[in-house]
Amino acid sequence: MRTQSPTVAEELAHRKRQELLALPESLGAFVREQAALYGDKTAAVWFERGIGMTYAQIDRAASQLADSLVKRGVRKGCHVALMLKNTPEFPITWIALGRIGAVMVPVNTAYTHDEMTFVLTDADAQYLVIDAEFVPRLADAPALPGLLAWERVIVSGASDHPLQWQALVDAGDAGFKAASAVSRDDLLNLQYTSGTTGFPKGCMLSHDYWMIHCHGAARHRRGPEAGIENVLIWAPFFYMDPMWQFLMTMKLGGTAYIAERMSLSRFMSWLIDYRIHYCIFPEPALSQFPPGERDTEVCLKYISIYGWTRAAREEVQARFNVIAREGFGMTEVGTGALVPAWAHDKALERTCGLPAPFRELQIRRDDGSIADTDEIGELWIRGRGILWGYYKRPEANAESFDGEWFRTGDLFRRDADGFYFIVGRIKEMIKRAGENVSATEVETVLRSMDAIDEAAVVPVPDPLRREEVKAYLKLREGLTQADVPPADVFAYCAKHLAPFKVPRFLQYVEGDFPRTPSRKIAKKRLIAETADPFADTYDRQESRWR
């Protein structure tokens, strides 16, 4: 074990050497390799359901499902949507589709019918694997969205639907071989993200994207004495984090302990009961459980943290003797930067770290030139395996790419040591409890309400969720707040938006919004000129005016 920390140059050289290591050609090939290595070892435990599966069982089930799906018409390049809970069906179906060469389209299970219809139609989904609980959202509509037909809808869970997920697995041949070769450059996911502004866009992500992501994550957390085996996954699988964590765990030869959903009240018990070595640790869990006798029962070795205060970073490392490190990632590029385990002092700052394997970072000024040290500019990223582009979005692709370089829309600076720091976001996005909420999408829904003339949606600080959603409303002429009470606005939003997107705070604007010279709402001025962002607002959560 080294007694001295490496220099930044040595760290970057090490990451370049990592890039020379061969990666599996596809998701299916990777899972098969890991099953050959670890066989009957438990790969995943869905502990609230009492289900555990070995590496060999997951590999076999994926091949059986792939065989049955091909017999049902799924072919290389087919778009298959998944609207599933955190159950074995999700990763097994993903692996099966990857083995065929088909494309998975994850669908947020919190979506309303309107949002679900938009994604299924925009993604050109030809097949849908859906939990029985969500079938009524389809059945209540006069017609299925886009290219779907009922004979191509596969249901998981108790249902009288003729096409059952488990029956397909049971009927399939474990010796499945794809008719067409699947390579690292084939498309694997059409991953929808609000990303910047506007309605969700589908990021086209290849097999190589996921192999780079999970292998880099495993190597980063495999230090000399890391010993990471038990990994807690608590976020919904339709997001990218649980997917790369699941694959990272397989690469480490460990066991993933998968929760149905996040629970702050049970979080510490999960860590102790399942002897968790790694997880993404939400900062509110630290204050939820003050220091106590059970701290010594926590087995954490490494945690990922995002946006924590310095005091919280110091506390968590001291309490649990754990390595706590930040990073920077986004759906479009996977992991962009990571704080090395050896960077102890730097890790107490809010730095995102150094460029990750296969990633090159630059900070550029508005004119595209390279920014100086500590100068703020936009972060640009390039490298093998980043997104191909946004599906059916030529305008967004033209705006977001300059040759190989992807423009993140985030403001960064780079210090004299070579470490990157996020400063803010150029494009409007509210980060609420890990969820991306597009201000433009919420505003579009609000403006579609007849009584509302204009709306401006902005973030406000929140100690638990980091940011909450606040909407400023300008009503149509002649209408008053009594004509359009908050309850009506919230009810309307709930019909068209997932619960996490519905504004918590409402404020009615008298007169007019501050404007730019082109008559757009000047949100920066709106925020700056509001001394108390909660004064004269209605709080949906507390059902009162503040």
Side-chain angles (χ1 to χ4, degrees):
M1 187 170 130
R2 13 184 356 149
T3 56
Q4 227 173 1
S5 297
T7 64
V8 170
E10 287 174 331
E11 173 71 16
L12 295 177
H14 170 65
R15 295 189 182 186
K16 285 294 182 185
R17 289 193 296 273
Q18 288 181 346
E19 294 174 16
L20 298 175
L21 299 175
L23 296 176
E25 194 68 12
S26 68
L27 173 62
F30 166 70
V31 173
R32 182 149 293 160
E33 289 175 8
Q34 298 311 105
L37 283 172
Y38 299 106
D40 293 333
K41 180 173 182 179
T42 301
V45 177
W46 289 265
F47 52 85
E48 290 162 293
R49 292 176 177 258
I51 300 173
M53 293 188 73
T54 67
Y55 283 77
Q57 287 172 331
I58 289 174
D59 179 57
R60 180 182 179 86
S63 284
Q64 290 175 233
L65 180 59
D67 180 67
S68 288
L69 289 176
V70 166
K71 290 173 182 174
R72 287 281 175 174
V74 177
R75 292 293 183 272
K76 184 174 183 178
C78 278
H79 291 191
V80 181
L82 269 62
M83 193 168 184
L84 296 169
K85 301 177 182 179
N86 277 16
T87 60
E89 286 87 336
F90 195 110
I92 289 171
T93 306
W94 186 32
I95 297 163
L97 295 175
R99 204 154 270 177
I100 296 168
V103 181
M104 180 182 75
V105 184
V107 180
N108 191 320
T109 59
Y111 276 170
T112 63
H113 178 268
D114 290 352
E115 293 166 312
M116 177 181 66
T117 298
F118 171 81
V119 169
L120 293 175
T121 303
D122 188 75
D124 296 316
Q126 299 156 279
Y127 293 78
L128 171 64
V129 183
I130 185 169
D131 190 280
E133 179 182 325
F134 309 129
V135 171
R137 295 187 208 174
L138 285 178
D140 291 345
L144 289 176
L147 303 177
L148 285 176
W150 279 111
E151 61 267 23
R152 295 193 298 278
V153 174
I154 301 163
V155 176
S156 167
S159 167
D160 57 2
H161 188 77
L163 205 51
Q164 290 285 313
W165 185 90
Q166 188 60 54
L168 293 179
V169 174
D170 294 340
D173 182 357
F176 170 78
K177 294 188 184 302
S180 302
V182 181
S183 77
R184 72 185 192 187
D185 295 321
D186 285 324
L187 188 62
L188 177 58
N189 281 43
L190 196 52
Q191 193 82 21
Y192 274 76
T193 176
S194 295
T196 53
T197 59
F199 289 97
K201 300 187 291 293
C203 297
M204 296 184 282
L205 308 177
S206 67
H207 285 259
D208 203 34
Y209 169 99
W210 290 102
M211 292 302 97
I212 288 170
H213 205 341
C214 75
H215 282 70
R219 291 185 186 122
H220 184 69
R221 294 165 180 85
R222 186 185 277 159
E225 298 176 350
I228 292 173
E229 290 191 13
N230 300 334
V231 174
L232 174 64
I233 299 175
W234 49 262
F237 255 76
F238 47 76
Y239 290 127
M240 62 179 287
D241 282 346
M243 284 188 265
W244 69 253
Q245 289 176 81
F246 186 86
L247 298 183
M248 177 197 77
T249 306
M250 295 192 85
K251 177 60 184 173
L252 292 170
T255 302
Y257 289 84
I258 301 167
E260 298 260 349
R261 63 186 61 83
M262 180 54 175
S263 170
L264 278 179
S265 63
R266 291 181 289 162
F267 183 77
M268 190 66 74
S269 294
W270 292 345
L271 296 182
I272 294 170
D273 293 346
Y274 305 113
R275 300 185 63 81
I276 298 301
H277 301 136
Y278 167 79
C279 69
I280 295 177
F281 199 116
E283 186 174 0
L286 199 61
S287 55
Q288 176 89 3
F289 298 97
E293 293 180 1
R294 299 206 75 189
D295 284 0
T296 58
E297 299 179 57
V298 174
C299 301
L300 287 171
K301 298 176 183 291
Y302 187 108
I303 60 172
S304 292
I305 60 172
Y306 298 104
W308 285 36
T309 63
R310 185 184 182 97
R313 292 165 193 255
E314 292 173 340
E315 179 186 346
V316 77
Q317 294 190 100
R319 276 182 65 181
F320 303 123
N321 190 29
V322 64
I323 296 172
R325 295 292 181 265
E326 190 149 359
F328 172 79
M330 55 194 308
T331 303
E332 288 84 346
V333 302
T335 303
L338 290 163
V339 179
W342 54 261
H344 301 293
D345 293 336
K346 281 286 186 183
L348 296 177
E349 303 177 34
R350 296 185 66 170
T351 176
C352 297
L354 303 173
F358 296 95
R359 296 292 172 261
E360 185 178 350
L361 278 55
Q362 288 185 349
I363 297 175
R364 299 198 187 185
R365 305 183 181 100
D366 290 342
D367 62 5
S369 59
I370 306 298
D372 293 329
T373 298
D374 281 323
E375 182 182 0
I376 295 172
E378 183 180 8
L379 181 69
W380 291 32
I381 299 179
R382 72 175 176 184
R384 173 179 150 185
I386 69 170
L387 82 161
W388 296 357
Y390 297 110
Y391 187 60
K392 301 192 302 188
R393 297 290 192 279
E395 295 85 1
N397 291 332
E399 178 185 345
S400 300
F401 285 89
D402 184 352
E404 297 178 331
W405 289 95
F406 175 75
R407 304 181 61 174
T408 66
D410 289 304
L411 294 172
F412 268 73
R413 68 176 178 87
R414 179 165 130 350
D415 72 9
D417 295 326
F419 283 75
Y420 287 78
F421 294 74
I422 190 167
V423 176
R425 295 185 296 279
I426 297 173
K427 300 176 182 179
E428 296 174 353
M429 181 59 55
I430 299 168
K431 294 277 191 179
R432 182 192 179 278
E435 303 270 17
N436 281 338
V437 180
S438 166
T440 302
E441 183 181 4
V442 180
E443 287 165 358
T444 300
V445 168
L446 288 168
R447 288 199 305 270
S448 71
M449 192 173 178
D450 289 340
I452 295 175
D453 186 27
E454 287 186 285
V457 173
V458 301
V460 291
D462 182 82
L464 178 62
R465 301 172 184 86
R466 293 177 57 189
E467 290 181 346
E468 264 290 6
V469 183
K470 177 181 178 180
Y472 289 87
L473 305 179
K474 180 183 177 184
L475 303 180
R476 295 198 183 278
E477 189 173 354
L479 296 178
T480 67
Q481 176 186 311
D483 300 312
V484 193
D488 289 359
V489 178
F490 295 138
Y492 185 85
C493 288
K495 290 180 182 178
H496 300 279
L497 295 167
F500 65 85
K501 298 178 185 177
V502 176
R504 175 177 171 181
F505 300 103
L506 289 184
Q507 183 169 348
Y508 295 81
V509 174
E510 295 182 7
D512 197 8
F513 288 103
R515 303 279 182 178
T516 68
S518 60
R519 296 298 298 161
K520 292 183 179 179
I521 297 174
K523 287 191 181 179
K524 289 183 179 179
R525 280 182 51 202
L526 185 64
I527 294 170
E529 293 171 5
T530 303
D532 180 356
F534 305 105
D536 301 318
T537 66
Y538 189 85
D539 185 337
R540 174 170 58 88
Q541 183 171 303
E542 298 182 5
S543 300
R544 68 179 180 91
W545 288 97
R546 295 178 59 160

